Amino acid sequence: MARRSWPELMELLGRVDAVHGLHYVLMYLVGQLNGGLNEFLARVPSAMAAAVAAAGLNRLGRLLGGPRLGLYAGLLLAVLPTTSRYAQEARSFAFVMAAAVLATCALVKALHSHARGRWLVGYAVLLALLGWFNLLGLLLVPAHTVTLALRRPGRRMVKRLLLAQAAGIAAVVPLLILASAQSSAVGEAAPVTAGTPFSYFTWLLTPGQDTLPTTLKLLLTLTALTTLTLLVARRHKAPPLALAVGAPWLTVPPLLLAVVSLGHPLFAYRYLLFCLPALALLLATATTLTTLRLRVLFVVLVAVPLASSHLAIRQEDSRPWDTRAVIRTLRVHDAPGDALLFSGARCGLIATAFKEAFANRPDLGRAQTAAVLGDLNHLPADPDLLQQRLAHTSRVWRVDCNHLSSAARQAAARATAAQEEALIHAGFSPVYHHSVRGMDITLEQRSTTGQRAH
């Protein structure tokens, strides 16, 4: 998205995906400042946002319980695999997490600082920033309200904080209005079930995509649950404000999102990444209440699961689509004049994201680009145009994306069927096939030409 021109980007945000507009604009500016946006540069801002979140949690821990709590909380957030996973993603979720941490810091400072007016203004601004990065990040506001109810800072202070919350939310109303008209662009989310709370807790510790064997995942989860149980048992020795901040932050947003998802499915774990610092804060609080021997035991128990998860998320096949494997296949087996055919418009965006890798390979199934249309998807070529293009090539690489939502899978299945029919009609047959995570790549070649690919 950030590679589009400014008019193209504005046209897109006026039609769809406005909820990610702030991130797109930020990435566009990064690209402009650096003379272009490559894959590495696109990931750097998220890594910086994750670092800000860890540093901010260190500061928050110091405010809530002293230097040791701050150190433990910041370090724990930094080493959790889910933090690393989204620090690698060129998406907005790490920014949402950082904004949530900073907003919570501003809340705590407003409760205890003499310069309360300044921190209240900062709190409102950070809540607005949180909402503009992702509307669902505003689920933090009810969690903060629960914190106020638990701490009872006084009627006057409560009124001032509620006004700051209202101001922050009001600043996001334009985005809310625009996004409500674009609700059809929301992707598929899993249904909420009885197992959702446990899955949510496990995901916070280590992200999905089979990053850990079941045994190691269970060991990590049980160790974390035991640590939190210890915190509950020794809660009277814990800093009261740390519990009042951390517990609602961890539990209220997913609970509200689950309730909303009963009517309109939205419960995707990535939307709750901003709750990860709360888990780190509570685990760190529990750790400060234990003996050195118990702290060493916890580290020993989680060392192997955490290390294994970190190694797994750094593998190329740890993502839903192993695009790198497809690029390697093309580099090894392609020949001059080869063309591409993607199953579905969204799958074709891979060639847009990795322009250099797919250069000089025309996409036969694309009539117009998404950028020209001001949309997320390319306009597919009609059957007649596809037949005309197939007549001028002898080898076509067909790329099928399998890791799709149900609606996208249906569209991709229809596109694949139409493409296969066109290929057969034009005299093509498959001569090479390779499957990778979330994708299939097939070389289609005219029956009367060449040798079989190996």
Side-chain angles (χ1 to χ4, degrees):
M1 301 300 169
R3 287 178 170 176
R4 300 187 183 194
S5 68
W6 182 257
E8 288 174 342
L9 183 57
M10 292 300 101
E11 183 180 5
L12 169 74
L13 297 179
R15 292 183 177 182
V16 69
D17 237 19
V19 290
H20 300 301
L22 180 59
H23 183 249
Y24 291 161
V25 169
L26 175 62
M27 298 307 296
Y28 172 83
L29 295 176
V30 170
Q32 292 298 305
L33 290 173
N34 290 275
L37 195 65
N38 55 38
E39 182 184 358
F40 172 78
L41 190 59
R43 299 180 190 276
V44 169
S46 289
M48 295 176 64
V52 169
L57 191 62
N58 174 281
R59 176 60 177 163
L60 179 61
R62 293 174 67 91
L63 292 173
L64 297 174
R68 178 180 291 182
L69 177 56
L71 177 63
Y72 288 176
L75 284 177
L76 187 54
L77 181 62
V79 303
L80 282 173
T82 306
T83 303
S84 293
R85 163 66 189 272
Y86 285 91
Q88 300 172 24
E89 298 276 350
R91 305 174 79 179
S92 62
F93 302 113
F95 290 90
V96 179
M97 179 172 67
V101 171
L102 296 179
T104 306
C105 282
L107 171 68
V108 174
K109 290 292 290 185
L111 287 172
H112 295 285
S113 174
H114 294 294
R116 290 179 175 177
R118 181 181 65 184
W119 287 108
L120 285 169
V121 172
Y123 180 53
V125 170
L126 287 166
L127 287 181
L129 186 65
L130 176 67
W132 275 93
F133 270 121
N134 194 302
L135 285 171
L136 292 177
L138 291 177
L139 291 173
L140 180 67
V141 174
H144 284 177
T145 304
V146 173
T147 297
L148 294 179
L150 292 173
R151 295 305 299 159
R152 299 180 181 180
R155 182 175 298 180
R156 183 181 177 186
M157 190 65 218
V158 169
K159 286 182 179 179
R160 297 177 71 182
L161 283 167
L162 291 178
L163 285 174
Q165 290 179 349
I169 294 172
V172 188
V173 167
L175 176 62
L176 183 61
I177 295 173
L178 182 58
S180 64
Q182 302 177 352
S183 58
S184 60
V186 176
E188 185 178 59
V192 176
T193 66
T196 296
F198 183 79
S199 298
Y200 159 70
F201 185 78
T202 303
W203 177 86
L204 289 175
L205 294 168
T206 178
Q209 305 302 328
D210 303 325
T211 56
L212 269 184
T214 302
T215 304
L216 290 181
K217 183 178 290 188
L218 188 60
L219 174 61
L220 181 61
T221 304
L222 290 179
T223 302
L225 286 173
T226 301
T227 305
L228 292 180
T229 302
L230 180 64
L231 175 60
V232 172
R234 301 184 179 181
R235 61 187 181 279
H236 299 297
K237 297 181 179 180
L241 189 54
L243 297 180
V245 168
W249 187 359
L250 179 65
T251 57
V252 172
L255 178 61
L256 293 177
L257 187 59
V259 171
V260 172
S261 296
L262 295 177
H264 184 74
L266 283 173
F267 201 96
Y269 296 121
R270 62 184 180 275
Y271 295 143
L272 295 168
L273 182 69
F274 69 90
C275 297
L276 182 60
L279 177 61
L281 177 65
L282 292 174
L283 291 174
T285 302
T287 304
T288 61
L289 304 177
T290 63
T291 63
L292 177 60
R293 182 176 298 179
L294 274 178
R295 289 198 291 270
V296 171
L297 177 61
F298 289 150
V299 171
V300 170
L301 288 174
V302 303
V304 173
L306 289 180
S308 300
S309 186
H310 273 288
L311 290 174
I313 63 174
R314 283 160 175 77
Q315 302 304 310
E316 291 181 358
D317 63 353
S318 67
R319 299 300 189 265
W321 293 353
D322 190 1
T323 309
R324 290 293 181 186
V326 173
I327 293 173
R328 284 196 302 269
T329 299
L330 289 175
R331 286 175 177 169
V332 172
H333 295 295
D334 73 340
D338 283 3
L340 294 167
L341 196 57
F342 293 94
S343 65
R346 188 65 57 87
C347 190
L349 293 176
I350 295 170
T352 304
F354 298 90
K355 281 187 175 181
E356 297 79 7
F358 290 92
N360 303 318
R361 299 184 182 96
D363 182 359
L364 303 185
R366 184 182 66 198
Q368 283 187 296
T369 65
V372 171
L373 295 171
D375 202 350
L376 292 175
N377 300 321
H378 298 316
L379 177 67
D382 59 48
D384 291 338
L385 178 58
L386 181 57
Q387 286 290 349
Q388 293 175 19
R389 291 174 172 178
L390 288 173
H392 294 89
T393 187
S394 60
R395 288 172 31 122
V396 177
W397 289 96
R398 184 160 57 86
V399 180
D400 301 317
C401 295
N402 305 321
H403 189 87
L404 301 168
S405 65
S406 58
R409 278 197 301 270
Q410 294 172 8
R414 291 192 296 268
T416 299
Q419 290 170 359
E420 289 177 347
E421 182 178 349
L423 287 164
I424 293 173
H425 186 267
F428 285 82
S429 60
V431 295
Y432 174 84
H433 179 81
H434 182 51
S435 294
V436 298
R437 188 183 189 100
M439 306 178 77
D440 291 302
I441 182 167
T442 305
L443 175 60
E444 302 275 355
Q445 186 170 300
R446 290 191 189 276
S447 301
T448 57
T449 63
Q451 299 275 329
R452 188 175 181 88
H454 298 286

